[in-house]
Amino acid sequence: MNATHSSSSSGGSGIGSGPLGYGNTPTCYFVMIGTKDNPIYEAEFPAVNTARSSSGGATIPEAKKEEFRHLNQFIAHSALDMVEDIQWSTNQMYLKAIDKFNERFISAYLTAGNIKLLLLHDAKSEDAIRNFFNDCYELYIKTLLNPFYEPNSIISSAAFDTKVRLSAKRYL
Amino acid sequence: MLQYTQKRVNGIQDLERKLNELGYRVGIRALDLLVWRDKNSKRETRVLGMLYFIHTTVWKTMFGKQADSLEKSTENEDEYMISDNDPMVSKFISIPKDVSQLNCGAFMAGIVEAIMDGCQFPSRVTAHTVPIDGFPLRTTILIKLDREVLDREEQLK
């Protein structure tokens, strides 16, 4: 996954070539977490973000993109606590933006079977994200209906992956 | 399905447990499916709402009618009962005398248990036959909620 822009943001990022700065990474990170806090599925989508030219105020200058991919998982897991708190106060399924990390937002969607769909993203319209979550939920249900699929286990189907990416492209 | 399980178990308890497991698998899928189809539905967070959902929606989709009654037990705080006068599952099964203890409602109990578990209301669910005049097959599903569910209900009040 390559950063499409290599804007030379704040100084101090002179370590080497390659993608610079956290604020430049346009990817969204999507993960589905089962009832035992086990990740069932995860994916990254490079999003096309129009207003990106001056994300020069990158907060963490010298980190490279690869490091943040690991960080994504940590961020998602810490967001889980927030989800659990909120979960009992509302009976909505879509729990908007529940957490914020640096400049990124984390939105959550909680299914009836208590599967958590988390999305790390930059500022996006809520509607788009809600539609995306609905699509993913539908795909998940279809996977669930498969009698050979053990609930709460990893989804390794390539077809599922393709469909999720398609949906992401459409909405994100 | 009954014959399949019968071949594989020795004992009535086991048979009921196996039926329960089969019902469990159905239940997990039924839960998400029903919530999805009921487009504007929200998740259930309260016990009563949950039971009501099972009592009406689930029963209706599975058996074509609502369950006949939903009761709260007077003796224990954590027991609820859903009754069905004419369970479709046991309709065409005749039970020979030597296994008279068997209740095929264990399948329905499994479904209910899966739905409760899925919504984070862990509980023990069992099926009992309580014949009444006119309804010899009347089955009652007893739902005994775990301690933590009750505590949570208290907190949420």
Side-chain angles (χ1 to χ4, degrees), chain A:
Chain A
M1 233 161 292
N2 305 322
T4 50
H5 300 252
S6 58
S7 56
S8 52
S9 47
S10 43
S13 57
I15 292 191
S17 52
L20 309 170
Y22 186 64
N24 283 348
T25 58
T27 54
C28 297
Y29 175 74
F30 172 63
V31 65
M32 294 172 62
I33 302 190
T35 55
K36 312 238 180 320
D37 289 349
N38 52 320
I40 302 182
Y41 175 76
E42 54 179 9
E44 287 175 348
F45 314 117
V48 179
N49 215 342
T50 50
R52 301 198 1 63
S53 46
S54 60
S55 43
T59 49
I60 305 182
E62 55 247 29
K64 299 225 167 110
K65 188 186 296 187
E66 280 72 33
E67 288 185 12
F68 283 104
R69 286 163 99 170
H70 303 305
L71 203 53
N72 283 336
Q73 285 205 346
F74 288 126
I75 303 176
H77 275 85
S78 72
L80 279 183
D81 287 336
M82 304 289 304
V83 174
E84 280 177 25
D85 277 341
I86 303 186
Q87 153 177 29
W88 298 111
S89 64
T90 168
N91 62 354
Q92 293 289 329
M93 292 175 91
Y94 175 51
L95 319 163
K96 315 207 181 157
I98 51 176
D99 199 12
K100 194 166 168 336
F101 179 76
N102 292 344
E103 303 138 358
R104 286 183 160 196
F105 296 94
I106 299 167
S107 299
Y109 184 90
L110 196 59
T111 74
N114 215 43
I115 308 284
K116 302 158 187 89
L117 312 180
L118 296 179
L119 180 67
L120 268 71
H121 56 86
D122 308 321
K124 286 257 191 325
S125 85
E126 266 186 28
D127 265 342
I129 298 187
R130 183 193 310 226
N131 284 335
F132 173 64
F133 274 143
N134 273 331
D135 259 6
C136 285
Y137 186 31
E138 194 167 349
L139 291 172
Y140 171 69
I141 294 184
K142 290 187 183 148
T143 314
L144 187 65
L145 286 179
N146 178 359
F148 293 115
Y149 172 69
E150 191 66 40
N152 239 355
S153 65
I154 302 186
I155 302 182
S156 50
S157 145
F160 182 81
D161 191 43
T162 327
K163 292 202 186 105
V164 170
R165 287 185 193 280
L166 231 101
S167 163
K169 224 176 274 200
R170 223 166 62 225
Y171 290 117
L172 295 176

Side-chain angles (χ1 to χ4, degrees), chain B residues 64-79:
Chain B
K65 63 182 177 88
Q66 293 189 0
D68 291 302
S69 73
L70 169 63
E71 295 152 6
K72 181 171 156 57
S73 153
T74 39
E75 296 127 34
N76 306 354
E77 260 289 320
D78 52 354
E79 286 186 356

